[in-house]
Short mmCIF file of all heavy atoms in Angstrom, two decimals:
data_model
loop_
_atom_site.label_atom_id
_atom_site.label_comp_id
_atom_site.label_asym_id
_atom_site.label_seq_id
_atom_site.Cartn_x
_atom_site.Cartn_y
_atom_site.Cartn_z
N MET Z 1 65.99 -42.80 -79.73
CA MET Z 1 65.27 -42.50 -78.50
C MET Z 1 63.92 -41.89 -78.81
O MET Z 1 63.63 -40.76 -78.51
CB MET Z 1 66.12 -41.49 -77.71
CG MET Z 1 67.42 -42.13 -77.26
SD MET Z 1 67.19 -43.28 -75.95
CE MET Z 1 67.76 -42.33 -74.58
N ALA Z 2 63.11 -42.67 -79.47
CA ALA Z 2 61.79 -42.15 -79.77
C ALA Z 2 60.73 -43.20 -79.42
O ALA Z 2 61.03 -44.37 -79.28
CB ALA Z 2 61.68 -41.80 -81.25
N GLY Z 3 59.52 -42.75 -79.27
CA GLY Z 3 58.45 -43.69 -78.97
C GLY Z 3 57.90 -43.48 -77.57
O GLY Z 3 56.89 -44.02 -77.20
N ARG Z 4 58.56 -42.68 -76.79
CA ARG Z 4 58.06 -42.43 -75.45
C ARG Z 4 57.06 -41.28 -75.46
O ARG Z 4 57.39 -40.17 -75.84
CB ARG Z 4 59.21 -42.07 -74.51
CG ARG Z 4 59.81 -43.31 -73.88
CD ARG Z 4 60.65 -42.91 -72.69
NE ARG Z 4 61.23 -44.09 -72.04
CZ ARG Z 4 61.87 -44.03 -70.89
NH1 ARG Z 4 62.02 -42.87 -70.29
NH2 ARG Z 4 62.37 -45.09 -70.33
N LYS Z 5 55.85 -41.59 -75.03
CA LYS Z 5 54.84 -40.54 -74.97
C LYS Z 5 54.63 -40.12 -73.51
O LYS Z 5 53.94 -40.78 -72.75
CB LYS Z 5 53.52 -41.03 -75.54
CG LYS Z 5 53.58 -41.28 -77.04
CD LYS Z 5 52.26 -41.78 -77.53
CE LYS Z 5 52.34 -42.10 -79.03
NZ LYS Z 5 51.08 -42.68 -79.49
N THR Z 6 55.28 -39.10 -73.18
CA THR Z 6 55.11 -38.62 -71.80
C THR Z 6 54.89 -37.11 -71.80
O THR Z 6 55.48 -36.40 -72.59
CB THR Z 6 56.35 -38.93 -70.95
OG1 THR Z 6 57.49 -38.47 -71.64
CG2 THR Z 6 56.45 -40.41 -70.65
N GLY Z 7 54.03 -36.71 -70.92
CA GLY Z 7 53.85 -35.27 -70.77
C GLY Z 7 52.64 -34.75 -71.51
O GLY Z 7 52.01 -33.80 -71.10
N ALA Z 8 52.29 -35.41 -72.60
CA ALA Z 8 51.19 -34.89 -73.40
C ALA Z 8 49.86 -35.03 -72.67
O ALA Z 8 49.08 -34.09 -72.58
CB ALA Z 8 51.12 -35.63 -74.72
N ASP Z 9 49.61 -36.23 -72.14
CA ASP Z 9 48.31 -36.49 -71.51
C ASP Z 9 48.34 -36.26 -70.00
O ASP Z 9 47.32 -36.32 -69.35
CB ASP Z 9 47.89 -37.93 -71.79
CG ASP Z 9 47.55 -38.10 -73.26
OD1 ASP Z 9 46.60 -37.45 -73.70
OD2 ASP Z 9 48.24 -38.85 -73.95
N SER Z 10 49.51 -36.05 -69.47
CA SER Z 10 49.59 -35.90 -68.01
C SER Z 10 48.96 -34.59 -67.55
O SER Z 10 48.69 -34.40 -66.39
CB SER Z 10 51.06 -35.95 -67.57
OG SER Z 10 51.74 -34.85 -68.12
N ALA Z 11 48.70 -33.72 -68.48
CA ALA Z 11 48.11 -32.44 -68.11
C ALA Z 11 46.63 -32.60 -67.77
O ALA Z 11 46.04 -31.76 -67.11
CB ALA Z 11 48.27 -31.44 -69.25
N LYS Z 12 46.07 -33.71 -68.24
CA LYS Z 12 44.65 -33.93 -67.96
C LYS Z 12 44.48 -34.57 -66.59
O LYS Z 12 44.67 -35.77 -66.42
CB LYS Z 12 44.05 -34.85 -69.02
CG LYS Z 12 43.75 -34.14 -70.31
CD LYS Z 12 43.05 -35.10 -71.26
CE LYS Z 12 42.75 -34.43 -72.60
NZ LYS Z 12 42.11 -35.38 -73.51
N ILE Z 13 44.17 -33.78 -65.66
CA ILE Z 13 43.94 -34.30 -64.30
C ILE Z 13 42.50 -34.04 -63.92
O ILE Z 13 42.07 -32.89 -63.75
CB ILE Z 13 44.88 -33.62 -63.29
CG1 ILE Z 13 46.34 -33.90 -63.67
CG2 ILE Z 13 44.56 -34.14 -61.88
CD1 ILE Z 13 47.32 -33.11 -62.81
N GLU Z 14 41.76 -35.12 -63.81
CA GLU Z 14 40.36 -34.96 -63.44
C GLU Z 14 40.19 -35.07 -61.94
O GLU Z 14 40.72 -35.99 -61.32
CB GLU Z 14 39.52 -36.06 -64.12
CG GLU Z 14 39.45 -35.84 -65.62
CD GLU Z 14 38.58 -36.90 -66.26
OE1 GLU Z 14 37.69 -37.43 -65.59
OE2 GLU Z 14 38.80 -37.22 -67.43
N PRO Z 15 39.46 -34.17 -61.36
CA PRO Z 15 39.21 -34.22 -59.92
C PRO Z 15 38.35 -35.42 -59.57
O PRO Z 15 37.47 -35.82 -60.34
CB PRO Z 15 38.49 -32.91 -59.62
CG PRO Z 15 37.88 -32.50 -60.92
CD PRO Z 15 38.78 -33.05 -62.00
N LEU Z 16 38.59 -36.00 -58.42
CA LEU Z 16 37.81 -37.15 -57.99
C LEU Z 16 36.34 -36.77 -57.83
O LEU Z 16 35.45 -37.46 -58.27
CB LEU Z 16 38.35 -37.67 -56.65
CG LEU Z 16 39.75 -38.26 -56.74
CD1 LEU Z 16 40.24 -38.63 -55.34
CD2 LEU Z 16 39.76 -39.50 -57.63
N ARG Z 17 36.14 -35.65 -57.19
CA ARG Z 17 34.77 -35.18 -57.02
C ARG Z 17 34.62 -33.79 -57.61
O ARG Z 17 35.37 -32.90 -57.25
CB ARG Z 17 34.44 -35.08 -55.53
CG ARG Z 17 34.11 -36.42 -54.91
CD ARG Z 17 33.57 -36.16 -53.53
NE ARG Z 17 33.53 -37.39 -52.76
CZ ARG Z 17 33.15 -37.44 -51.49
NH1 ARG Z 17 32.82 -36.33 -50.88
NH2 ARG Z 17 33.10 -38.55 -50.83
N PRO Z 18 33.66 -33.64 -58.48
CA PRO Z 18 33.41 -32.30 -58.98
C PRO Z 18 32.86 -31.43 -57.86
O PRO Z 18 32.03 -31.88 -57.09
CB PRO Z 18 32.35 -32.50 -60.07
CG PRO Z 18 31.70 -33.82 -59.75
CD PRO Z 18 32.74 -34.64 -59.04
N PRO Z 19 33.34 -30.21 -57.76
CA PRO Z 19 32.90 -29.33 -56.69
C PRO Z 19 31.41 -29.06 -56.79
O PRO Z 19 30.90 -28.74 -57.85
CB PRO Z 19 33.71 -28.05 -56.91
CG PRO Z 19 34.16 -28.10 -58.33
CD PRO Z 19 34.27 -29.56 -58.68
N ARG Z 20 30.75 -29.20 -55.68
CA ARG Z 20 29.31 -28.97 -55.65
C ARG Z 20 29.01 -27.54 -55.26
O ARG Z 20 29.59 -27.05 -54.29
CB ARG Z 20 28.69 -29.88 -54.61
CG ARG Z 20 27.76 -30.90 -55.22
CD ARG Z 20 26.91 -31.48 -54.13
NE ARG Z 20 26.58 -32.86 -54.41
CZ ARG Z 20 25.81 -33.60 -53.65
NH1 ARG Z 20 25.33 -33.10 -52.54
NH2 ARG Z 20 25.52 -34.81 -53.95
N PRO Z 21 28.12 -26.92 -55.98
CA PRO Z 21 27.75 -25.56 -55.58
C PRO Z 21 26.89 -25.60 -54.33
O PRO Z 21 26.12 -26.52 -54.11
CB PRO Z 21 26.96 -25.04 -56.78
CG PRO Z 21 26.44 -26.26 -57.47
CD PRO Z 21 27.46 -27.34 -57.22
N CYS Z 22 27.05 -24.57 -53.52
CA CYS Z 22 26.27 -24.47 -52.30
C CYS Z 22 24.78 -24.39 -52.65
O CYS Z 22 24.38 -23.59 -53.49
CB CYS Z 22 26.70 -23.21 -51.54
SG CYS Z 22 25.67 -22.83 -50.14
N PRO Z 23 23.96 -25.24 -52.04
CA PRO Z 23 22.53 -25.26 -52.36
C PRO Z 23 21.83 -23.97 -51.93
O PRO Z 23 20.71 -23.71 -52.37
CB PRO Z 23 22.00 -26.46 -51.58
CG PRO Z 23 23.00 -26.73 -50.53
CD PRO Z 23 24.32 -26.24 -51.04
N ILE Z 24 22.47 -23.21 -51.10
CA ILE Z 24 21.84 -21.98 -50.61
C ILE Z 24 22.15 -20.80 -51.51
O ILE Z 24 21.25 -20.10 -51.96
CB ILE Z 24 22.30 -21.67 -49.17
CG1 ILE Z 24 21.98 -22.84 -48.25
CG2 ILE Z 24 21.65 -20.39 -48.66
CD1 ILE Z 24 20.51 -23.17 -48.16
N CYS Z 25 23.43 -20.58 -51.77
CA CYS Z 25 23.81 -19.39 -52.53
C CYS Z 25 24.49 -19.73 -53.85
O CYS Z 25 24.65 -18.86 -54.70
CB CYS Z 25 24.71 -18.49 -51.69
SG CYS Z 25 26.31 -19.23 -51.36
N GLY Z 26 24.88 -20.99 -54.05
CA GLY Z 26 25.44 -21.38 -55.34
C GLY Z 26 26.94 -21.25 -55.42
O GLY Z 26 27.53 -21.58 -56.44
N LYS Z 27 27.57 -20.80 -54.34
CA LYS Z 27 29.03 -20.71 -54.36
C LYS Z 27 29.64 -22.10 -54.21
O LYS Z 27 28.98 -23.01 -53.72
CB LYS Z 27 29.50 -19.83 -53.19
CG LYS Z 27 29.19 -18.37 -53.38
CD LYS Z 27 29.72 -17.60 -52.19
CE LYS Z 27 29.33 -16.13 -52.29
NZ LYS Z 27 29.78 -15.38 -51.10
N PRO Z 28 30.89 -22.24 -54.64
CA PRO Z 28 31.57 -23.54 -54.47
C PRO Z 28 31.59 -23.94 -53.00
O PRO Z 28 31.86 -23.12 -52.13
CB PRO Z 28 32.99 -23.26 -54.97
CG PRO Z 28 32.88 -22.08 -55.85
CD PRO Z 28 31.73 -21.26 -55.34
N SER Z 29 31.30 -25.21 -52.76
CA SER Z 29 31.18 -25.66 -51.38
C SER Z 29 32.55 -25.74 -50.71
O SER Z 29 33.58 -25.89 -51.36
CB SER Z 29 30.52 -27.02 -51.33
OG SER Z 29 31.28 -27.95 -52.09
N ASP Z 30 32.52 -25.64 -49.40
CA ASP Z 30 33.74 -25.71 -48.62
C ASP Z 30 33.79 -27.02 -47.86
O ASP Z 30 32.77 -27.59 -47.50
CB ASP Z 30 33.77 -24.55 -47.62
CG ASP Z 30 35.14 -24.45 -46.97
OD1 ASP Z 30 36.06 -23.97 -47.63
OD2 ASP Z 30 35.26 -24.87 -45.81
N ARG Z 31 35.01 -27.51 -47.65
CA ARG Z 31 35.16 -28.79 -46.96
C ARG Z 31 34.57 -28.74 -45.57
O ARG Z 31 33.93 -29.69 -45.11
CB ARG Z 31 36.66 -29.10 -46.83
CG ARG Z 31 37.08 -30.16 -47.82
CD ARG Z 31 38.44 -30.67 -47.40
NE ARG Z 31 39.22 -31.05 -48.58
CZ ARG Z 31 40.50 -31.38 -48.51
NH1 ARG Z 31 41.12 -31.31 -47.36
NH2 ARG Z 31 41.14 -31.74 -49.57
N LYS Z 32 34.81 -27.66 -44.88
CA LYS Z 32 34.37 -27.57 -43.49
C LYS Z 32 32.85 -27.59 -43.37
O LYS Z 32 32.31 -28.09 -42.39
CB LYS Z 32 34.91 -26.28 -42.87
CG LYS Z 32 36.42 -26.30 -42.71
CD LYS Z 32 36.90 -24.97 -42.17
CE LYS Z 32 38.43 -24.93 -42.14
NZ LYS Z 32 38.91 -23.61 -41.73
N ALA Z 33 32.20 -27.00 -44.35
CA ALA Z 33 30.74 -26.86 -44.25
C ALA Z 33 30.03 -27.63 -45.34
O ALA Z 33 28.89 -27.33 -45.65
CB ALA Z 33 30.37 -25.39 -44.29
N TYR Z 34 30.72 -28.61 -45.93
CA TYR Z 34 30.14 -29.40 -47.01
C TYR Z 34 28.74 -29.89 -46.66
O TYR Z 34 28.50 -30.33 -45.55
CB TYR Z 34 31.05 -30.60 -47.29
CG TYR Z 34 30.67 -31.35 -48.54
CD1 TYR Z 34 31.13 -30.93 -49.78
CD2 TYR Z 34 29.85 -32.46 -48.47
CE1 TYR Z 34 30.78 -31.62 -50.92
CE2 TYR Z 34 29.50 -33.14 -49.61
CZ TYR Z 34 29.96 -32.73 -50.83
OH TYR Z 34 29.60 -33.41 -51.95
N PRO Z 35 27.77 -29.83 -47.56
CA PRO Z 35 27.93 -29.38 -48.95
C PRO Z 35 27.69 -27.89 -49.13
O PRO Z 35 27.42 -27.45 -50.23
CB PRO Z 35 26.85 -30.18 -49.66
CG PRO Z 35 25.75 -30.28 -48.64
CD PRO Z 35 26.43 -30.31 -47.30
N PHE Z 36 27.80 -27.16 -48.06
CA PHE Z 36 27.58 -25.72 -48.16
C PHE Z 36 28.90 -24.99 -48.31
O PHE Z 36 29.97 -25.57 -48.12
CB PHE Z 36 26.85 -25.22 -46.93
CG PHE Z 36 25.59 -26.00 -46.66
CD1 PHE Z 36 25.56 -27.01 -45.71
CD2 PHE Z 36 24.44 -25.74 -47.38
CE1 PHE Z 36 24.42 -27.73 -45.48
CE2 PHE Z 36 23.29 -26.47 -47.16
CZ PHE Z 36 23.28 -27.47 -46.20
N CYS Z 37 28.82 -23.70 -48.63
CA CYS Z 37 30.04 -22.94 -48.84
C CYS Z 37 30.56 -22.42 -47.51
O CYS Z 37 31.73 -22.14 -47.36
CB CYS Z 37 29.78 -21.78 -49.79
SG CYS Z 37 28.77 -20.46 -49.07
N SER Z 38 29.68 -22.31 -46.54
CA SER Z 38 30.11 -21.79 -45.25
C SER Z 38 29.14 -22.24 -44.17
O SER Z 38 28.04 -22.72 -44.47
CB SER Z 38 30.17 -20.26 -45.29
OG SER Z 38 28.88 -19.75 -45.55
N ALA Z 39 29.56 -22.07 -42.93
CA ALA Z 39 28.69 -22.47 -41.81
C ALA Z 39 27.41 -21.63 -41.81
O ALA Z 39 26.37 -22.07 -41.34
CB ALA Z 39 29.43 -22.28 -40.50
N ARG Z 40 27.51 -20.44 -42.35
CA ARG Z 40 26.35 -19.56 -42.39
C ARG Z 40 25.25 -20.16 -43.26
O ARG Z 40 24.09 -20.18 -42.89
CB ARG Z 40 26.79 -18.20 -42.94
CG ARG Z 40 25.79 -17.12 -42.61
CD ARG Z 40 26.27 -15.81 -43.21
NE ARG Z 40 25.28 -14.75 -43.01
CZ ARG Z 40 25.40 -13.54 -43.50
NH1 ARG Z 40 26.45 -13.24 -44.22
NH2 ARG Z 40 24.49 -12.64 -43.31
N CYS Z 41 25.65 -20.62 -44.43
CA CYS Z 41 24.66 -21.21 -45.33
C CYS Z 41 24.12 -22.51 -44.74
O CYS Z 41 22.96 -22.83 -44.89
CB CYS Z 41 25.29 -21.46 -46.70
SG CYS Z 41 25.36 -19.98 -47.72
N ALA Z 42 24.97 -23.25 -44.06
CA ALA Z 42 24.52 -24.49 -43.42
C ALA Z 42 23.47 -24.14 -42.36
O ALA Z 42 22.49 -24.87 -42.18
CB ALA Z 42 25.71 -25.19 -42.77
N ASP Z 43 23.68 -23.04 -41.68
CA ASP Z 43 22.74 -22.61 -40.65
C ASP Z 43 21.41 -22.20 -41.28
O ASP Z 43 20.34 -22.51 -40.76
CB ASP Z 43 23.34 -21.43 -39.89
CG ASP Z 43 22.77 -21.34 -38.49
OD1 ASP Z 43 22.74 -22.37 -37.81
OD2 ASP Z 43 22.35 -20.24 -38.09
N ILE Z 44 21.50 -21.52 -42.41
CA ILE Z 44 20.28 -21.11 -43.11
C ILE Z 44 19.48 -22.33 -43.52
O ILE Z 44 18.27 -22.40 -43.35
CB ILE Z 44 20.65 -20.26 -44.36
CG1 ILE Z 44 21.23 -18.92 -43.93
CG2 ILE Z 44 19.40 -20.05 -45.22
CD1 ILE Z 44 21.83 -18.14 -45.09
N ASP Z 45 20.20 -23.32 -44.02
CA ASP Z 45 19.53 -24.55 -44.46
C ASP Z 45 18.90 -25.25 -43.27
O ASP Z 45 17.79 -25.76 -43.34
CB ASP Z 45 20.54 -25.46 -45.14
CG ASP Z 45 19.87 -26.69 -45.75
OD1 ASP Z 45 19.19 -26.50 -46.78
OD2 ASP Z 45 20.00 -27.78 -45.21
N LEU Z 46 19.62 -25.25 -42.16
CA LEU Z 46 19.10 -25.90 -40.95
C LEU Z 46 17.81 -25.22 -40.50
O LEU Z 46 16.84 -25.88 -40.15
CB LEU Z 46 20.16 -25.82 -39.85
CG LEU Z 46 19.76 -26.49 -38.53
CD1 LEU Z 46 19.67 -27.99 -38.70
CD2 LEU Z 46 20.76 -26.16 -37.44
N ASN Z 47 17.83 -23.90 -40.54
CA ASN Z 47 16.63 -23.16 -40.14
C ASN Z 47 15.46 -23.47 -41.06
O ASN Z 47 14.32 -23.58 -40.62
CB ASN Z 47 16.92 -21.65 -40.17
CG ASN Z 47 17.64 -21.22 -38.90
OD1 ASN Z 47 17.30 -21.67 -37.82
ND2 ASN Z 47 18.61 -20.35 -39.04
N ARG Z 48 15.77 -23.63 -42.34
CA ARG Z 48 14.70 -23.98 -43.28
C ARG Z 48 14.12 -25.33 -42.92
O ARG Z 48 12.93 -25.54 -42.96
CB ARG Z 48 15.29 -24.04 -44.70
CG ARG Z 48 15.47 -22.66 -45.29
CD ARG Z 48 15.88 -22.79 -46.74
NE ARG Z 48 16.19 -21.50 -47.32
CZ ARG Z 48 16.61 -21.35 -48.57
NH1 ARG Z 48 16.80 -22.39 -49.34
NH2 ARG Z 48 16.85 -20.16 -49.04
N TRP Z 49 15.01 -26.23 -42.58
CA TRP Z 49 14.57 -27.58 -42.22
C TRP Z 49 13.67 -27.52 -40.98
O TRP Z 49 12.62 -28.14 -40.93
CB TRP Z 49 15.79 -28.45 -41.93
CG TRP Z 49 16.15 -29.31 -43.08
CD1 TRP Z 49 17.11 -29.09 -44.02
CD2 TRP Z 49 15.52 -30.54 -43.45
NE1 TRP Z 49 17.12 -30.11 -44.93
CE2 TRP Z 49 16.16 -31.02 -44.61
CE3 TRP Z 49 14.48 -31.29 -42.91
CZ2 TRP Z 49 15.79 -32.20 -45.23
CZ3 TRP Z 49 14.12 -32.48 -43.54
CH2 TRP Z 49 14.77 -32.92 -44.67
N LEU Z 50 14.13 -26.79 -39.99
CA LEU Z 50 13.36 -26.71 -38.75
C LEU Z 50 11.99 -26.11 -39.01
O LEU Z 50 10.98 -26.61 -38.53
CB LEU Z 50 14.12 -25.87 -37.73
CG LEU Z 50 15.40 -26.54 -37.20
CD1 LEU Z 50 16.16 -25.58 -36.31
CD2 LEU Z 50 15.06 -27.80 -36.42
N LYS Z 51 11.97 -25.05 -39.78
CA LYS Z 51 10.69 -24.42 -40.10
C LYS Z 51 9.80 -25.37 -40.87
O LYS Z 51 8.61 -25.46 -40.65
CB LYS Z 51 10.94 -23.16 -40.94
CG LYS Z 51 11.31 -21.97 -40.09
CD LYS Z 51 11.34 -20.71 -40.97
CE LYS Z 51 11.73 -19.50 -40.13
NZ LYS Z 51 11.76 -18.28 -40.95
N GLY Z 52 10.43 -26.08 -41.81
CA GLY Z 52 9.67 -27.02 -42.63
C GLY Z 52 9.08 -28.13 -41.81
O GLY Z 52 7.93 -28.52 -41.99
N SER Z 53 9.88 -28.63 -40.86
CA SER Z 53 9.41 -29.76 -40.06
C SER Z 53 8.24 -29.33 -39.18
O SER Z 53 7.35 -30.11 -38.89
CB SER Z 53 10.55 -30.29 -39.19
OG SER Z 53 10.95 -29.32 -38.26
N TYR Z 54 8.26 -28.05 -38.78
CA TYR Z 54 7.17 -27.58 -37.95
C TYR Z 54 5.89 -27.41 -38.78
O TYR Z 54 4.80 -27.54 -38.26
CB TYR Z 54 7.53 -26.23 -37.33
CG TYR Z 54 8.51 -26.36 -36.21
CD1 TYR Z 54 9.60 -25.50 -36.11
CD2 TYR Z 54 8.36 -27.34 -35.24
CE1 TYR Z 54 10.51 -25.61 -35.08
CE2 TYR Z 54 9.26 -27.46 -34.22
CZ TYR Z 54 10.34 -26.59 -34.13
OH TYR Z 54 11.23 -26.70 -33.12
N ALA Z 55 6.11 -27.13 -40.07
CA ALA Z 55 4.96 -26.89 -40.93
C ALA Z 55 4.28 -28.19 -41.33
O ALA Z 55 3.10 -28.21 -41.65
CB ALA Z 55 5.39 -26.12 -42.17
N ILE Z 56 5.05 -29.26 -41.30
CA ILE Z 56 4.48 -30.55 -41.70
C ILE Z 56 3.58 -31.10 -40.59
O ILE Z 56 4.02 -31.26 -39.46
CB ILE Z 56 5.61 -31.57 -41.99
CG1 ILE Z 56 6.45 -31.09 -43.17
CG2 ILE Z 56 5.01 -32.94 -42.27
CD1 ILE Z 56 7.71 -31.91 -43.36
N PRO Z 57 2.34 -31.34 -40.92
CA PRO Z 57 1.42 -31.89 -39.93
C PRO Z 57 1.80 -33.32 -39.56
O PRO Z 57 2.13 -34.12 -40.41
CB PRO Z 57 0.06 -31.85 -40.62
CG PRO Z 57 0.37 -31.83 -42.08
CD PRO Z 57 1.70 -31.13 -42.21
N VAL Z 58 1.74 -33.58 -38.29
CA VAL Z 58 2.12 -34.93 -37.84
C VAL Z 58 0.93 -35.86 -37.96
O VAL Z 58 -0.12 -35.63 -37.39
CB VAL Z 58 2.60 -34.88 -36.38
CG1 VAL Z 58 2.96 -36.29 -35.90
CG2 VAL Z 58 3.78 -33.94 -36.23
N VAL Z 59 1.14 -36.90 -38.74
CA VAL Z 59 0.07 -37.87 -38.91
C VAL Z 59 0.47 -39.17 -38.21
O VAL Z 59 1.41 -39.84 -38.61
CB VAL Z 59 -0.19 -38.15 -40.41
CG1 VAL Z 59 -1.31 -39.17 -40.56
CG2 VAL Z 59 -0.55 -36.85 -41.11
N GLU Z 60 -0.25 -39.48 -37.19
CA GLU Z 60 0.07 -40.71 -36.46
C GLU Z 60 -0.88 -41.82 -36.88
O GLU Z 60 -2.10 -41.69 -36.80
CB GLU Z 60 -0.05 -40.46 -34.96
CG GLU Z 60 1.05 -39.54 -34.45
CD GLU Z 60 0.96 -39.41 -32.93
OE1 GLU Z 60 0.28 -40.23 -32.30
OE2 GLU Z 60 1.54 -38.46 -32.41
N GLU Z 61 -0.24 -42.89 -37.30
CA GLU Z 61 -1.06 -44.02 -37.70
C GLU Z 61 -1.07 -45.07 -36.60
O GLU Z 61 -0.03 -45.46 -36.09
CB GLU Z 61 -0.52 -44.62 -39.00
CG GLU Z 61 -0.79 -43.72 -40.19
CD GLU Z 61 -0.37 -44.40 -41.48
OE1 GLU Z 61 -0.55 -45.62 -41.58
OE2 GLU Z 61 0.14 -43.71 -42.37
N ASP Z 62 -2.22 -45.51 -36.26
CA ASP Z 62 -2.33 -46.51 -35.18
C ASP Z 62 -2.29 -47.93 -35.71
O ASP Z 62 -2.60 -48.88 -35.02
CB ASP Z 62 -3.64 -46.29 -34.43
CG ASP Z 62 -3.57 -45.02 -33.57
OD1 ASP Z 62 -2.68 -44.19 -33.84
OD2 ASP Z 62 -4.39 -44.86 -32.68
N GLY Z 63 -1.94 -48.05 -36.97
CA GLY Z 63 -1.85 -49.39 -37.54
C GLY Z 63 -3.22 -49.94 -37.90
O GLY Z 63 -3.51 -51.11 -37.66
N GLY Z 64 -4.05 -49.10 -38.43
CA GLY Z 64 -5.38 -49.56 -38.83
C GLY Z 64 -6.38 -49.43 -37.69
O GLY Z 64 -6.06 -48.95 -36.59
N THR Z 65 -7.59 -49.85 -37.95
CA THR Z 65 -8.62 -49.74 -36.91
C THR Z 65 -8.58 -50.97 -36.01
O THR Z 65 -8.59 -52.09 -36.47
CB THR Z 65 -10.00 -49.63 -37.57
OG1 THR Z 65 -10.16 -50.70 -38.50
CG2 THR Z 65 -10.18 -48.32 -38.31
N THR Z 66 -8.54 -50.67 -34.73
CA THR Z 66 -8.54 -51.77 -33.79
C THR Z 66 -9.93 -51.88 -33.15
O THR Z 66 -10.45 -50.90 -32.64
CB THR Z 66 -7.49 -51.54 -32.68
OG1 THR Z 66 -7.62 -50.22 -32.19
CG2 THR Z 66 -6.09 -51.74 -33.23
N PRO Z 67 -10.50 -53.05 -33.19
CA PRO Z 67 -11.83 -53.25 -32.60
C PRO Z 67 -11.79 -53.15 -31.09
O PRO Z 67 -10.80 -53.52 -30.47
CB PRO Z 67 -12.21 -54.66 -33.03
CG PRO Z 67 -10.91 -55.35 -33.29
CD PRO Z 67 -9.97 -54.28 -33.77
N ASP Z 68 -12.86 -52.62 -30.54
CA ASP Z 68 -12.91 -52.49 -29.09
C ASP Z 68 -13.01 -53.87 -28.43
O ASP Z 68 -13.56 -54.79 -29.00
CB ASP Z 68 -14.10 -51.64 -28.68
CG ASP Z 68 -13.93 -50.21 -29.13
OD1 ASP Z 68 -12.76 -49.77 -29.29
OD2 ASP Z 68 -14.93 -49.54 -29.35
N ASP Z 69 -12.45 -53.96 -27.27
CA ASP Z 69 -12.42 -55.26 -26.60
C ASP Z 69 -13.74 -55.52 -25.87
O ASP Z 69 -13.80 -55.52 -24.65
CB ASP Z 69 -11.26 -55.35 -25.63
CG ASP Z 69 -9.93 -55.32 -26.39
OD1 ASP Z 69 -9.85 -56.01 -27.41
OD2 ASP Z 69 -9.02 -54.61 -25.95
N GLY Z 70 -14.77 -55.74 -26.65
CA GLY Z 70 -16.03 -56.15 -26.04
C GLY Z 70 -16.57 -55.19 -25.02
O GLY Z 70 -16.92 -55.59 -23.91
N ILE Z 71 -16.60 -53.92 -25.37
CA ILE Z 71 -17.17 -52.98 -24.42
C ILE Z 71 -18.65 -52.85 -24.69
O ILE Z 71 -19.05 -52.31 -25.71
CB ILE Z 71 -16.48 -51.61 -24.53
CG1 ILE Z 71 -14.98 -51.77 -24.21
CG2 ILE Z 71 -17.15 -50.61 -23.59
CD1 ILE Z 71 -14.19 -50.50 -24.44
N ASP Z 72 -19.48 -53.34 -23.80
CA ASP Z 72 -20.93 -53.26 -23.96
C ASP Z 72 -21.57 -52.36 -22.93
O ASP Z 72 -21.44 -52.61 -21.78
CB ASP Z 72 -21.57 -54.67 -23.86
CG ASP Z 72 -21.41 -55.38 -25.19
OD1 ASP Z 72 -21.24 -54.68 -26.21
OD2 ASP Z 72 -21.41 -56.60 -25.20
ZN1 ZN K 101 26.48 -20.69 -49.55
#
């Protein structure tokens, strides 16, 4: 009764997804607030986004220069 290799390698269990640290505080992320560790950090990130979006100047492109329609 020899030749069966069981148990030796079964201890190696790799997680499907490596836990991501929270981008705000670096703690392990939580499922509920993924990819953040908590709703609080998600809120902080959201506020950063909102502030950032306000800081970005809006550039509207009209699709190039359009010639006037014969205004004399
Ligand atoms: Zn966090």
